[in-house]
Amino acid sequence: MSINEHTNIVHDKLNDKQLRQNLTNVMDTLKNNRKNLIASRYLDWEGLREQGRAVKQKSLSQLDVLLERFEQNATKNGFIVHWANDSKEVNEIIYKLMQEKHIHKILKGKSMASEETHLNAFLKQKGLEPIETDLGELIIQLIDEPPVHIVAPAIHKNRYQIGEIFAQKLGAHLESEPEKLNEIARVHLRKEFQTFQMGLSGVNFAIANEGAIWLIENEGNGRMSTTASDIHVAICGIEKIVESFEDASILDALLVPSATGAPITCYNNIITSPRKNGELDGPKEVHIILLDNNRSVMLKDAHFYRSLSCIRCGTCLNHCPVYDKIGGHAYLSTYPGPIGEVISPQLFGMKNFGHMVNLCSLCGRCSEVCPVKIPLAELIRDLRSEKVGQGRKNLKNNDGSLRDKSEEYAMNAFAKFASNGSLWRIALGLAGIFAPLAKPFSPLIPGLKNWVMYREFPHLKGNLHKKLSNMKGVIYE
């Protein structure tokens, strides 16, 4: 996709007033919930963040050992463990399982890993039926859209829009009350749960010492997908491995408040084995697919590997002043927002996703709120360096073709002014004189018209005479 095409998508989202209103309402609620919860319930939130950072760093530093330990213990517990190098292998494993078991329908709990592999599209091409059971995922599946957020897939739709979707796609009565909308979805999905044989989930934490997986959710659909089916398939990114339940508990205590501003999630599902003899529920088979998809390549980089610490809470999206104006679809990636800007070029190639690193103001909010202290703003800045052929030059499909000569010229010119005190003061003084004159014509001035299209005209103050007087000893003597 060209830069112009991506720019057009961003402008389309900026011009969507309903989208921006929906996002603002939800983001403000999530941010306030998080802020109030941390202030009222946590004595040492920063200390907990430091513990979370240390847990992830420890896990990543011995990931190869922990992965082997997890496989050994999980296999001992009765799980069937598969290794997948990329998206294609994940999808093929699931497809072959469905073929072997003569299954034509799979019910899915929420899984960003399955979004990453584009599993739904793959299965549809094979004539099979993937059905989303998470409420947000169900909504966007009905309108054939990807998730707009990694935690709340349908936050770009308000309750009135969702009511219209259910009326059009499910033949339900037009409703707008959340309770009624939940009831419509519940009735629709209960029929699917009565007859399905295979369920799919993601994994929040995989515990190496126990060979167990830990799933968290708020709706109960995930538990239905993993316990009421004959076969449960769990896709687990290899970075989700931690050493112990104690480590996972620290991360869980950070994830839920960061994601939704709640002290604990509704459902914590810790799965240690398939159904055992004498047990009345649970799947007869549990398959765990350990997904690499360039994560091991990311781990090799001594700087960018820190982005593998992400626990997928989404709080960096919630606090991002760019994301809440354009939404996740404008990023054109499975993973949007600040974390998406960091991991997408590494997972899928800078050449394909280099456009994302421009969608950042470098305000630093994402780094401030990340529960495991990933320096996201710093990594985004450094990825911009990689994008133009500088930096480590160690990213997949990064051939330097994304260099923009006009951008390079503009930044060099800016650097000349910004690094010279005399020129900088003169520029500010001139801006103070000519800015008021330019304001009425700003919608017509190249460059400036893009600014005022969505922002107020910048208010600049400058006194050229005073600044020249102050500089007299510098520039005239």
Side-chain angles (χ1 to χ4, degrees):
M1 174 172 288
S2 69
I3 292 177
N4 288 336
E5 288 175 315
H6 181 246
T7 300
N8 290 337
I9 292 171
V10 171
H11 284 307
D12 288 343
K13 299 303 180 183
L14 286 170
N15 287 321
D16 188 338
K17 293 182 180 180
Q18 186 64 64
L19 170 70
R20 294 180 65 174
Q21 181 180 336
N22 293 348
L23 289 172
T24 298
N25 291 340
V26 177
M27 296 296 105
D28 287 349
T29 299
L30 291 174
K31 287 187 289 187
N32 288 331
N33 287 349
R34 174 188 176 277
K35 179 182 177 181
N36 295 335
L37 179 72
I38 291 173
S40 62
R41 296 287 294 270
Y42 290 84
L43 299 177
D44 186 13
W45 176 256
E46 291 305 312
L48 185 61
R49 288 181 70 204
E50 181 56 34
Q51 289 184 55
R53 185 201 66 80
V55 165
K56 290 301 297 186
Q57 292 294 299
K58 178 185 71 172
S59 300
L60 293 174
S61 69
Q62 52 181 337
L63 188 58
D64 54 345
V65 174
L66 295 181
L67 283 166
E68 290 182 358
R69 189 185 306 170
F70 174 81
E71 181 185 29
Q72 291 171 0
N73 290 329
T75 301
K76 191 184 303 182
N77 290 342
F79 293 123
I80 301 171
V81 178
H82 306 262
W83 296 83
N85 287 322
D86 54 28
S87 298
K88 181 179 179 181
E89 290 188 8
V90 170
N91 295 342
E92 288 290 347
I93 290 169
I94 296 171
Y95 173 59
K96 288 179 181 177
L97 278 173
M98 295 180 74
Q99 278 191 313
E100 291 171 4
K101 308 296 182 180
H102 305 290
I103 293 172
H104 301 284
K105 177 172 64 177
I106 180 170
L107 266 61
K108 299 175 60 195
K110 189 174 182 305
S111 167
M112 286 305 297
S114 72
E115 296 288 348
E116 178 182 328
T117 68
H118 303 291
L119 176 64
N120 286 9
F122 174 84
L123 292 180
K124 287 179 182 178
Q125 288 179 350
K126 300 293 186 179
L128 303 175
E129 188 178 7
I131 298 175
E132 299 288 354
T133 64
D134 174 84
L135 180 57
E137 292 282 357
L138 170 64
I139 292 165
I140 60 172
Q141 185 178 40
L142 290 174
I143 56 177
D144 196 26
E145 286 187 2
V148 78
H149 191 284
I150 62 177
V151 174
I155 58 169
H156 58 309
K157 301 294 183 184
N158 62 32
R159 57 195 177 102
Y160 301 102
Q161 293 171 305
I162 293 169
E164 292 175 358
I165 292 170
F166 283 175
Q168 293 171 7
K169 302 296 183 178
L170 299 180
H173 292 294
L174 185 61
E175 302 284 356
S176 61
E177 293 303 316
E179 294 81 4
K180 294 288 186 180
L181 296 174
N182 277 319
E183 183 180 358
I184 292 169
R186 184 167 57 248
V187 170
H188 168 70
L189 289 173
R190 285 289 171 175
K191 293 181 292 185
E192 302 292 350
F193 279 124
Q194 289 173 359
T195 58
F196 84 122
Q197 296 174 283
M198 179 181 285
L200 181 137
S201 75
V203 173
N204 290 101
F205 315 110
I207 296 89
N209 289 351
E210 305 294 336
I213 57 176
W214 186 342
L215 317 179
I216 61 177
E217 52 146 340
N218 280 318
E219 298 177 16
N221 65 292
R223 180 169 288 181
M224 288 287 287
S225 299
T226 60
T227 60
S229 58
D230 292 332
I231 302 169
H232 169 206
V233 179
I235 307 176
C236 177
I238 58 174
E239 81 281 10
K240 299 295 184 70
I241 301 288
V242 295
E243 186 171 15
S244 65
F245 272 119
E246 289 77 12
D247 288 347
S249 296
I250 290 171
L251 299 179
D252 180 60
L254 286 162
L255 192 159
V256 182
S258 299
T260 62
I264 191 171
T265 192
C266 296
Y267 298 92
N268 281 277
N269 305 318
I270 297 175
I271 302 173
T272 57
S273 73
R275 184 194 306 183
K276 297 179 180 178
N277 291 333
E279 293 181 339
L280 300 179
D281 61 9
K284 298 175 183 177
E285 293 181 19
V286 178
H287 297 259
I288 302 174
I289 305 175
L290 296 173
L291 171 64
D292 187 334
N293 211 24
N294 287 317
R295 287 163 172 79
S296 57
V297 176
M298 292 170 64
L299 190 61
K300 293 178 184 177
D301 193 292
H303 184 56
F304 293 119
Y305 84 96
R306 288 179 286 183
S307 56
L308 287 172
S309 294
C310 177
I311 56 176
R312 301 293 190 267
C313 69
T315 199
C316 61
L317 284 70
N318 302 344
H319 288 79
C320 177
V322 177
Y323 177 90
D324 72 6
K325 301 298 185 297
I326 61 176
H329 292 160
Y331 293 81
L332 301 176
S333 172
T334 300
Y335 300 108
I339 187 60
E341 293 172 49
V342 173
I343 66 175
S344 295
Q346 298 182 76
L347 289 176
F348 314 123
M350 178 64 80
K351 189 172 182 180
N352 297 322
F353 290 90
H355 62 271
M356 294 181 67
V357 299
N358 292 337
L359 299 175
C360 175
S361 67
L362 295 179
C363 68
R365 287 187 194 175
C366 50
S367 301
E368 292 176 8
V369 299
C370 176
V372 289
K373 293 190 172 183
I374 303 172
L376 291 165
E378 175 187 339
L379 297 179
I380 292 169
R381 183 197 64 212
D382 292 343
L383 283 167
R384 288 180 174 180
S385 176
E386 294 281 347
K387 175 185 173 183
V388 296
Q390 301 172 6
R392 293 167 179 77
K393 302 179 181 178
N394 194 35
L395 296 186
K396 180 184 176 186
N397 295 336
N398 186 30
D399 57 5
S401 61
L402 297 177
R403 292 180 65 181
D404 186 326
K405 294 294 183 181
S406 61
E407 181 183 74
E408 205 170 307
Y409 175 81
M411 293 306 296
N412 286 335
F414 174 79
K416 182 178 179 180
F417 275 88
S419 59
N420 185 307
S422 300
L423 291 176
W424 184 250
R425 285 188 286 271
I426 290 173
L428 287 180
L430 291 172
I433 293 173
F434 292 106
L437 301 176
K439 186 174 182 178
F441 303 100
S442 57
L444 304 175
I445 300 174
L448 193 55
K449 67 179 182 181
N450 293 332
W451 178 277
V452 298
M453 190 180 301
Y454 305 108
R455 308 174 183 88
E456 293 182 359
F457 186 86
H459 182 61
L460 301 174
K461 291 183 178 180
N463 187 318
L464 182 59
H465 175 73
K466 182 178 179 180
K467 295 193 181 295
L468 289 175
S469 298
N470 291 339
M471 295 189 306
K472 185 176 179 180
V474 177
I475 62 176
Y476 292 117
E477 293 183 359

